[in-house]
Structures are given as C-alpha cells and as structure tokens.
C-alpha cells in the first residue's frame, strides 16, 4: 500500500468514482479510489430492490452520431473507447440493475483504474497537508484533495415514534407471496415506495401508500427522480377502486403489537382528521441521505436539505471544508429536483466539469476552449451547431452551459459544458462580455398538464412566441460582470431541431449583433 500523499483520493467506485478516476488517470494525475465492496457499483448490487432501473436505455435512435445517441443513453459513462457503451449490455428500455453492475466492472477493468476494493473509509481527518482517510484495517490513505463519490447510502428516517419497528426498503423481502392477504402500509411516495407497492398489487389484500407531500409525476415536472410512469401502476388501482389508496398527511405514531401495527394518521385533506389504522406490515421507503459519520468534527461538511446533502459551491466543493469535493449523485444539491445532477446521464457531465475545475485550480491547466470569429454570424453558427448536437446541455438543462467570452479586439473564446453558476465567478469571464448557452424548460413548465389540449401553448418554430415556450429550447444570455444584459429564446421545435435559417439562426444573429454593439447592448429580450 502506498504511503505517499496522493493528489486526489476518491471515496466510492460507483459510476461517479469510476468516471472521475478515468478522467484523472487520462490527465496523468495521481489518484486512488477506495471502494467498500468487492466490485464497482456496490449500491447497484442491491438497489433498486426489484432490479429494474428507471434510467432509459434506448438502443435504436435512428442516428449513428455518438453524441446524439448519448441523449437517449442514460447509463453509459464518458469514455475514449467508442465500444464501451451500456447499450451493448442490454437492449431493454428499462434495463436490469445487474447489467449496470457488469458494465461498471468492465469499465473499471478496461482502464485499469486504481481501485482498492473491500476498503471502507472508517474515519476522515484533515491536516495541514490535506486529508487522511483511515480504513477498517487501520491503514491510512493520504491525499491533498478528497472527493466523496459515495452516493446516498444511509436511510433517511423520518422522526416518527415507532419508526424503528417497521421493515425497511433496503432489506424487506421482495417476494410478493410473503404478503398474501395482508394489509400493508408503505411510508413514502417516491419511486422506491411505488415500486414496492406495484410488486404487491397481485397478492396483498390492501395497500396504503402514505406521505405528507403530493405525488409529483416526472412526465409533468421533467425531473426524472419524481414518480416515473414505469412505477405508477399502483395509481390505477387507487383511482379505479381496487382496495388500495394514497394517504395524504402525516403518520403521528406507529405501535407494533401481537396483532400487527396500529398507526395513527392525520389526514391533510380531510380537516386534519386523525384516524387509527391497522396493518399487518409497515414498510419504510423514505429515501436516502449522505452518510457523513466518518468525518472528524473539524472537517465535517455542512449539511443541507434536511441534512441529506453536503452544501456545495458552484465548483462542487464543500462550502466550509476547502479541498473537499463531491461527485455523482451528491452533486444534485446544486440542482435539487430541478435537473439531472442526481443521475448518471446528468452527473457524468458534471463530473467531467469537476475534473476540469480541479485541473484549473491545482494543475495550471485552463478549461479547454477554442477561438471563434467574433462576428455575430459566426457566433450564431457555433451556437446553433452546439445546441443541436450536445448531450451535456441536453441532459443538464439549465445547469451546464457553453460559454462564449468576447473581449474587444480579440477573437471570441468558446468554452463547452461549464456549470453556469461557476462561469459567473471564474477568471475566464472576469472583465469581459460573455454569453451563456443553455437548454431550458419554461419557468412554469411543471404547472401545465402537457396532455390537456385545451391549454394553449406557443406554436413550434414561432419566433414571436419563443420567449414564452414551456418545452425544452435553447436560451442565450448576455452578461457583463455577472450582470444580465440580454436574453434570447430560440423557438421550440417538435423534434428538437433548432436549425432553421429563418426561425432560429437569423433571429439569434440579430440578437448577438445587437448585444455586441455598445450602442444597443442590453436592449435584447
């Protein structure tokens, strides 16, 4: 075991740890990944419990463009090997979790990543030279920087008297025959809860799914962590009167006795009526949180969102512990329930951005970029090309963006896939005009029923109505010293093709010309 101080230590060999390890290795940096399990992807060896992933795997897209195909491939990691794609491991649209475990193992082996398996971080301390991680064998691992890529591994337990007596999603039996004829209460209204309920529909006598918040459907909110259609068959059984129900409100107490459970429930939509309900089984499916228990008190990261996540800067660094970074699903604190930072198809790009940030900060390697002719027409062509092909902007909508920096008398400089919040504070944009290019939904997109044909929406390819678009579309913003000077919305399109010369390119060129002219800058919509 090496005793020298590494440049970077990564905790966790899940998708994010592997992705960052590959990027650091290709850049020639000294790193090591510590993994508590015997193989990569330990979490996915158990979860989801019913083994069907909700990350799509669309094999047949009608295009051979690898970048466009990544828009429909939610499981592959970024790789210099064009053959190392998850789509070669399964043809199922919602694949089996075991296929992901197999893919991750092959990814680690292909690149010979430096991973110490069966090595659990028991204690994390910090000194003047960086971090020291002590594993369960008493071995110390030293690094100047530490990246937590563990995911959310600890159960999020609500504060309910008697909650300790219920069965947990992590270890409850998944054999539906074990619930035959029983009354079952499931705590939680997310995908794990509804996945569990759907598994019991054919055998349980009664199933109640309970929680204090309204169910939010992913097809309505565009947040893929909200309830997915593949898990919502249970809702039919509720609304079509099949003895099952959703309970809206709060569980006040859970009492377990010889005859089962007695649960006191306060109904939110029935004048706070409190009723005692009897069940044979109660299952907790209330989600997960980041486990910060290994950190010494003087280097424990600040936690937010009910202590479920570490608070992060725009550079994915702990806001209170310098040199402590976070990768993977833990990055979603920056875009919680708004974009895709909690999922492979989103965080693979955020992890690449983190690798570039680490290169900038510690290795004097600037963010990769290219020179562009600073004319409005040339800039417009570059933007149109990127929004029509980029997978990163497509997946991390509103969070990652391209940045074009314009300085008087110089060529424009184009930087790809930068966290927008980071762009406003990084040195590349200081003292210059710059444009951010993102793909975004409209501000009220989640308040409209997309299947209600009585709701009028902006016509596709409508330049005049583009600013009011609810569906995904390109947005270009002009900033100077962090101040927003102008915004341009490109018209939405049914097939997400924003390349019509008259509808998309010409209006964008006019906007850029106006914003680049000192006499008219800031007059754009």
């Amino acid at each position: 075991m090496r005793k020298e101080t590494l440049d970077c230590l990564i905790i966790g060999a899940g998708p994010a740890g592997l992705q960052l390890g590959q990027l650091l290795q290709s850049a020639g940096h000294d790193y090591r990944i510590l993994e508590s399990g015997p193989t990569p992807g330990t979490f996915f060896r158990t979860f989801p419990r019913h083994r069907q992933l909700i990350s799509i795997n669309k094999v047949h897209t009608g295009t051979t463009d690898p970048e466009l195909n990544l828009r429909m491939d939610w499981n592959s990691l970024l790789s210099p090997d064009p053959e190392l794609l998850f789509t070669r491991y399964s043809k199922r649209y919602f694949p089996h979790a075991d296929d992901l475990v197999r893919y991750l193992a092959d990814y680690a082996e292909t690149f010979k990543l430096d991973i110490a398996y069966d090595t659990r971080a028991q204690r994390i301390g910090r000194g003047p030279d960086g971090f020291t991680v002590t594993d369960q064998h008493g071995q110390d691992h030293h690094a100047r920087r530490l990246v937590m890529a563990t995911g959310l591994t600890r159960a999020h337990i609500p504060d309910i008297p008697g909650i300790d007596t219920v069965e947990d999603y992590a270890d409850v039996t998944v054999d539906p025959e074990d619930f035959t004829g029983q009354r079952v209460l499931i705590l939680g209204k997310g995908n794990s809860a509804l996945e569990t309920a759907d598994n019991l529909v054919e055998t349980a006598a009664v199933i109640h799914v309970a929680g204090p918040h309204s169910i939010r459907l992913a097809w309505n909110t565009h947040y893929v962590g909200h309830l997915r259609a593949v898990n919502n068959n249970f809702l039919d059984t509720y609304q079509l009167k099949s003895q099952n129900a959703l309970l809206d409100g709060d569980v006040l107490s859970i009492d377990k006795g010889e005859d089962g459970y007695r649960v006191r429930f306060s109904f939110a939509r029935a004048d706070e009526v409190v009723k005692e309900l009897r069940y044979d089984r109660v299952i907790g499916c209330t989600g997960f949180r980041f486990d910060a228990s290994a950190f010494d008190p003087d280097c424990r990261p600040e936690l937010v969102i009910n202590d479920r996540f570490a608070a992060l800067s725009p550079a994915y660094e702990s806001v209170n512990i310098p040199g402590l970074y976070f990768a993977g699903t833990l990055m979603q604190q920056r875009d919680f329930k708004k974009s895709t930072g909690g999922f492979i198809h989103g965080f693979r790009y955020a992890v690449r951005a983190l690798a570039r940030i680490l290169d900038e900060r510690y290795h004097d390697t600037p963010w990769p970029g290219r020179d562009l002719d600073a004319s409005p027409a040339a800039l417009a062509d570059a933007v149109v090309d990127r929004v029509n092909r980029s997978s990163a902007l497509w997946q991390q909508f509103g969070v990652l963006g391209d940045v074009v920096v314009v300085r008087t008398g110089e060529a424009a400089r184009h930087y790809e896939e930068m966290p927008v919040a980071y762009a406003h504070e990084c040195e590349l944009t200081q003292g210059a005009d710059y444009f951010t290019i993102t793909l975004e939904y409209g501000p009220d997109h989640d308040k409209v029923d997309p299947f209600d044909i009585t709701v009028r929406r902006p016509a596709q390819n409508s330049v005049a109505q583009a600013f009011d678009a609810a569906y995904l579309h390109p947005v270009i913003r002009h900033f100077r010293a962090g101040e927003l000077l102008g915004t341009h919305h490109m018209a939405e399109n049914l097939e997400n093709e924003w390349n019509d010369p008259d509808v998309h390119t010409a209006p964008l060129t006019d906007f850029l010309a106006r914003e680049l002219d000192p006499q008219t800058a800031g007059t754009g919509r």
Side-chain angles (χ1 to χ4, degrees), residues 20 25 45 49 86 99 111 121 161 206 219 229 278 280 318 351 356 358 377 385 389 436 510 519-520:
L20 184 58
Q25 181 169 284
R45 294 169 68 89
R49 291 299 314 286
F86 181 81
D99 291 326
F111 297 108
V206 172
W219 53 257
R278 189 197 70 78
D280 298 297
S318 167
V351 170
R356 290 170 174 171
L358 296 176
D385 179 67
R389 188 165 181 264
T436 61
D510 290 344
Q519 301 300 316
T520 56

Side-chain angles (χ1 to χ4, degrees), residues 292-369:
S293 61
F295 286 90
D296 284 350
D298 62 350
C299 70
R300 189 173 189 268
E302 178 185 332
L303 302 180
V304 293
I305 312 176
N306 296 321
D307 288 345
R308 294 180 62 193
F309 296 89
L312 307 183
S313 75
Y316 305 112
E317 184 179 24
S318 167
V319 297
N320 66 309
I321 306 297
L324 174 60
Y325 292 86
F326 292 79
T329 192
L330 298 172
M331 289 171 146
Q332 69 179 294
Q333 188 274 321
R334 294 292 311 171
D335 60 298
F336 187 59
K337 295 189 177 181
K338 294 179 181 178
S339 191
T340 60
F343 308 87
I344 294 175
H345 63 296
F347 68 61
R348 62 191 177 197
Y349 301 106
V351 170
R352 182 160 65 184
L354 172 60
R356 290 170 174 171
I357 290 169
L358 296 176
D359 269 348
E360 276 190 324
R361 290 185 167 186
Y362 307 112
H363 302 287
D364 296 323
T365 303
W367 197 284

Side-chain angles (χ1 to χ4, degrees), residues 399-417:
V399 176
L400 293 185
D402 281 10
V403 178
V404 176
V405 179
V406 181
R407 299 179 188 276
T408 304
E410 300 179 14
R413 190 73 175 162
H414 180 198
Y415 304 96
E416 296 181 358
E417 302 167 17

Side-chain angles (χ1 to χ4, degrees), residues 20 28 58 90-91 136 297 344 354 373 409 496:
L20 184 58
K58 197 168 192 291
S90 174
K91 295 184 181 299
Q136 78 273 31
I344 294 175
L354 172 60
D373 184 334
N496 306 302

